[in-house]
Amino acid sequence: MLNRYPLWKYLLILIVIVIGLIYALPNLFPEDPAIQISSSRSDASLDERRLDDLENELRNADIDISSIETNGGSVLVRLANAGDQIQARDIADELLDDEYVVALNQAESTPDWLESLGASPMNLGLDLRGGVHFLLEVDMDAAVTQRLEVNASAMRELLRDERIRYRDTEIEDRSVSLVFAGAEDRDEARQLIRREFDEFDFSTDEEGRAARLTMTLTDQSVEEIQDYAIEQNLTTLRNRVNELGVAEPLVQRQGPNRIVVELPGVQDTAAAKRIVGATANLEFRLEARPDTPDSETESFSFRNQEGRSADLARDVIITGDNVSNANRSFGENGRPQVNIDLDGTGGTLMNRATRSNIGRNMAVLFIEHNSEVRTVMEDGEEVEVRENTTDRSIISLATIQSALGNSFRITGLESSTEAEELALLLRSGSLAAPIYFAQERTIGPSLGAENIERGVMSVQIGLLLVVLFMLVRYKVFGVIANLALGVNLALLVAAMSILGATLTLPGIAGIVLTLGMAVDANVLIFERIREEFRNGMSAQQAISAGYERAFTSIVDANLTTLLVAVILFSIGTGPVKGFAVTLSLGILTSMFTALLVSRAMVNLSHGSKPLKKLWI
């Protein structure tokens, strides 16, 4: 028969539709605003009395609670209104002690039977869910300076090992300068350093009896340092965002020296900014001996002890880059501390430095880069000027009792929160260069809800107009096209949910465009059936010819559009990528429903009947 499918093809189409409907269903159950209360220590749990006190405090503050769920040591409090989240968190923070961490959350309300099948709703983007948008600027000059400081430290150690005497070290712009007592020492040092550091151009100068050796980074080396700084910062920021537990965050490079960070669902902007923008790093240095030359020492104050300072050696043993893991804990006296594990290189360097300096003090230097924007007058106009500052302070100074290895601890921290944040920063990796906030934008959950409402309305209006057009134009076949269109929409939503794609406002525009394109394929088929029927073919022959002869046109049109969508995804940024993903998936589902689903329905409704007239 012309218009018959074998049974297996009908069953295959039915299975695809059923699976699509199941995995699209979770999107009918929106997430609930909630606060998550979890223990900061494994041995602490929220007892029934504290839980009752918390519930009473929330209800006394007129906060509508949907439900309270307990899962092990964690408690999830579901709220009726998103606007109550921050107030509920503040109340929980005041009521509970430092043993508990209270965080904002979005709790899924998907039924258990759907979750057991692995079904979950689509992730919503920043413009739909609300959240924060940061534009960060990387200080490229500081990246070069930091690399020069590391190289200068390595050069000094190399010269000391070879017993070559030098007087002073200077770092300026892209150069490192060393001053020697005479030309003989300088030339020997030049040959030695050149073998180890090939990224420099070397030049010499005479200063009376002294001799100066100047090493300048090549242009290629500067570009490599700056590219590394961007890539390392991207990796570090992604690790920090993952520590925050944000669903579908966006961390990507923008231009030569900027990074975009978008955190959907984050409402605590201050906390996000503090973690994402933190530029803290650590340096481990030995305390200077009394006979150490002034040129080889630096004086730093203590972070939490006003008026106290210490002189440290300029050479750095290791930095936070060598930390492989860090966790907060509490010492014997109940004070917070950070337990640190070093990588292989860091452990070797730490062991070498401490093994030969038992009884000497070692300091942990906390380094933080800050930025402040001031408005100044230039030529009678107000101009914003950014001032970048670097604060270095000692957080710990302890005597080396024995040779240290890959694991040790940092003490001297003021609070549990400070220890937790320091551990997070060290665990996620240090920044290769300071970053500063060039732009900050917050989208509230109410605006996100409004965007969702308008987006859904646009899809509904578009779908209604298409349905009416198809019914008026193609009658019975229009009903079949509309049913296929509904299946197409369900399959598209299911595909985005299964793949974990993020829905944004441009993505909703892609859905509306998909509806039009899906109908376009049906229009081509139905118009072809009309034409063949008018040319004298029988009804069954016209239906078969309409689908077969329109197939090539539909595939060609959709493949070219799919190619454009792939290009948009490969070179576009966040919003453009969201549109491209939705459009690509929509093209695939549209071809499936137009060529297979609608054909199956036509076969079932018309294929077994002797037709003399077509209602099309």
Side-chain angles (χ1 to χ4, degrees):
M1 297 292 290
L2 283 176
N3 298 306
R4 290 281 185 88
Y5 274 162
L7 179 60
W8 68 266
K9 187 172 286 191
Y10 287 119
L11 292 176
L12 179 62
I13 293 172
L14 180 62
I15 290 172
V16 171
I17 293 174
V18 170
I19 292 175
L21 291 175
I22 289 175
Y23 283 91
L25 273 179
N27 295 279
L28 298 178
F29 303 91
E31 293 179 324
D32 295 328
I35 58 171
Q36 181 94 26
I37 304 171
S38 55
S39 170
S40 59
R41 290 162 46 189
S42 58
D43 59 346
S45 59
L46 196 63
D47 54 43
E48 291 294 332
R49 182 183 60 80
R50 288 188 178 184
L51 195 57
D52 291 339
D53 291 342
L54 175 61
E55 182 176 0
N56 292 333
E57 289 291 334
L58 294 177
R59 295 194 186 279
N60 291 337
D62 294 329
I63 295 177
D64 192 0
I65 301 174
S66 298
S67 64
I68 298 179
E69 303 170 8
T70 303
N71 184 12
S74 178
V75 175
L76 184 70
V77 181
R78 295 177 183 263
L79 307 175
N81 301 312
D84 293 334
Q85 272 185 293
I86 294 179
Q87 184 183 1
R89 183 205 57 191
D90 293 341
I91 292 174
D93 272 334
E94 291 180 4
L95 186 65
L96 304 175
D97 52 34
D98 290 340
E99 293 181 349
Y100 301 95
V101 177
V102 183
L104 302 179
N105 199 353
Q106 294 289 329
E108 291 187 3
S109 57
T110 306
D112 293 338
W113 69 273
L114 283 175
E115 286 187 347
S116 65
L117 298 174
S120 60
M122 286 184 291
N123 297 310
L124 300 181
L126 185 71
D127 47 4
L128 298 181
R129 193 175 183 181
V132 293
H133 167 98
F134 296 133
L135 180 62
L136 305 173
E137 187 172 328
V138 181
D139 190 340
M140 293 301 196
D141 293 335
V144 175
T145 301
Q146 288 180 6
R147 178 66 66 86
L148 288 175
E149 290 175 348
V150 172
N151 287 339
S153 179
M155 291 174 186
R156 289 193 296 266
E157 183 177 359
L158 181 63
L159 295 176
R160 284 196 297 269
D161 291 342
E162 297 296 327
R163 299 186 182 280
I164 299 175
R165 301 182 64 182
Y166 60 94
R167 293 182 181 176
D168 195 11
T169 307
E170 294 181 5
I171 297 176
E172 186 176 0
D173 294 332
R174 295 163 48 174
S175 301
V176 179
S177 297
L178 292 169
V179 179
F180 299 86
E184 184 178 349
D185 288 341
R186 180 196 63 197
D187 294 341
E188 185 179 355
R190 177 177 178 175
Q191 293 180 2
L192 183 64
I193 294 174
R194 184 187 291 274
R195 289 198 299 266
E196 300 292 333
F197 301 91
D198 58 357
E199 66 267 36
F200 290 95
D201 289 330
F202 293 80
S203 62
T204 59
D205 190 20
E206 306 296 333
E207 297 182 354
R209 294 183 179 180
R212 179 181 293 271
L213 175 63
T214 302
M215 294 150 285
T216 305
L217 286 170
T218 62
D219 292 339
Q220 180 181 354
S221 298
V222 172
E223 291 178 3
E224 291 176 354
I225 292 171
Q226 293 177 344
D227 284 339
Y228 169 79
I230 284 284
E231 294 302 323
Q232 176 63 29
N233 282 6
L234 279 171
T235 301
T236 299
L237 289 173
R238 290 191 181 107
N239 291 337
R240 291 182 181 180
V241 168
N242 290 337
E243 292 277 356
L244 287 173
V246 179
E248 291 299 316
L250 172 68
V251 182
Q252 67 180 19
R253 182 173 182 172
Q254 184 180 88
N257 65 336
R258 290 189 167 187
I259 297 174
V260 174
V261 178
E262 291 185 352
L263 307 176
V266 173
Q267 298 178 36
D268 192 347
T269 309
K273 187 175 182 180
R274 188 173 64 250
I275 298 300
V276 171
T279 55
N281 198 359
L282 294 183
E283 288 182 356
F284 295 81
R285 301 192 190 189
L286 293 172
E287 186 177 20
R289 290 191 175 95
D291 59 348
T292 305
D294 292 341
S295 60
E296 299 298 325
T297 67
E298 291 180 281
S299 181
F300 300 99
S301 60
F302 280 73
R303 191 174 187 211
N304 300 316
Q305 302 177 38
E306 188 175 351
R308 186 186 175 193
S309 63
D311 294 332
L312 305 182
R314 293 184 65 179
D315 291 336
V316 178
I317 301 174
I318 61 169
T319 67
D321 296 332
N322 300 112
V323 176
S324 61
N325 192 23
N327 294 289
R328 183 194 64 175
S329 65
F330 295 88
E332 296 177 357
N333 56 359
R335 300 291 297 173
Q337 64 184 29
V338 176
N339 298 326
I340 287 181
D341 295 327
L342 301 178
D343 57 20
T345 302
T348 301
L349 293 174
M350 179 62 73
N351 182 266
R352 182 191 304 169
T354 56
R355 185 176 56 209
S356 57
N357 289 283
I358 294 176
R360 191 174 172 185
N361 289 337
M362 184 177 69
V364 180
L365 193 64
F366 185 86
I367 304 172
E368 189 169 19
H369 302 279
N370 299 305
S371 176
E372 181 180 355
V373 178
R374 295 191 304 108
T375 302
V376 298
M377 297 295 296
E378 288 186 6
D379 300 329
E381 295 183 359
E382 291 186 352
V383 180
E384 289 188 347
V385 178
R386 175 181 286 119
E387 291 185 352
N388 301 330
T389 59
T390 301
D391 296 329
R392 290 179 170 87
S393 56
I394 299 172
I395 61 174
S396 176
L397 182 65
T399 303
I400 301 172
Q401 303 291 344
S402 61
L404 300 178
N406 292 70
S407 300
F408 56 95
R409 63 180 182 268
I410 297 176
T411 58
L413 301 170
E414 278 292 297
S415 65
S416 174
T417 302
E418 182 183 14
E420 179 64 29
E421 290 188 1
L422 178 59
L424 186 154
L425 296 178
L426 292 174
R427 192 164 58 244
S428 60
S430 62
L431 296 171
I435 55 175
Y436 306 104
F437 287 88
Q439 187 182 88
E440 177 184 344
R441 189 168 68 247
T442 303
I443 298 178
S446 59
L447 180 58
E450 183 180 351
N451 289 337
I452 293 175
E453 182 181 348
R454 293 185 177 184
V456 171
M457 184 181 296
S458 67
V459 173
Q460 291 173 341
I461 293 174
L463 183 62
L464 178 61
L465 292 176
V466 168
V467 166
L468 291 176
F469 171 80
M470 295 302 290
L471 288 176
V472 172
R473 177 71 176 170
Y474 298 111
K475 302 178 178 62
V476 174
F477 278 76
V479 174
I480 294 174
N482 290 333
L483 292 174
L485 190 61
V487 172
N488 178 35
L489 185 58
L491 292 179
L492 174 56
V493 172
M496 294 186 67
S497 301
I498 293 172
L499 296 177
T502 301
L503 181 65
T504 60
L505 276 176
I508 293 178
I511 292 177
V512 177
L513 179 60
T514 297
L515 297 178
M517 293 179 61
V519 170
D520 180 61
N522 284 304
V523 168
L524 287 174
I525 294 170
F526 295 163
E527 289 296 332
R528 192 72 189 216
I529 292 175
R530 273 182 167 180
E531 182 180 349
E532 299 297 345
F533 190 65
R534 283 196 299 263
N535 291 338
M537 280 189 178
S538 66
Q540 297 292 350
Q541 289 176 329
I543 292 173
S544 177
Y547 275 96
E548 291 177 1
R549 295 178 183 179
F551 176 83
T552 303
S553 300
I554 293 171
V555 171
D556 287 346
N558 283 278
L559 284 181
T560 53
T561 308
L562 182 61
L563 180 61
V564 173
V566 171
I567 295 173
L568 285 175
F569 181 82
S570 61
I571 65 176
T573 55
V576 177
K577 282 179 181 275
F579 175 79
V581 168
T582 308
L583 181 59
S584 302
L585 293 175
I587 290 171
L588 298 178
T589 57
S590 296
M591 292 179 64
F592 174 78
T593 54
L595 297 175
L596 293 177
V597 175
S598 68
R599 178 71 184 270
M601 288 190 286
V602 169
N603 289 351
L604 290 173
S605 59
H606 295 77
S608 59
K609 299 177 181 178
L611 301 174
K612 294 184 179 181
K613 186 176 181 180
L614 286 175
W615 293 94
I616 186 171

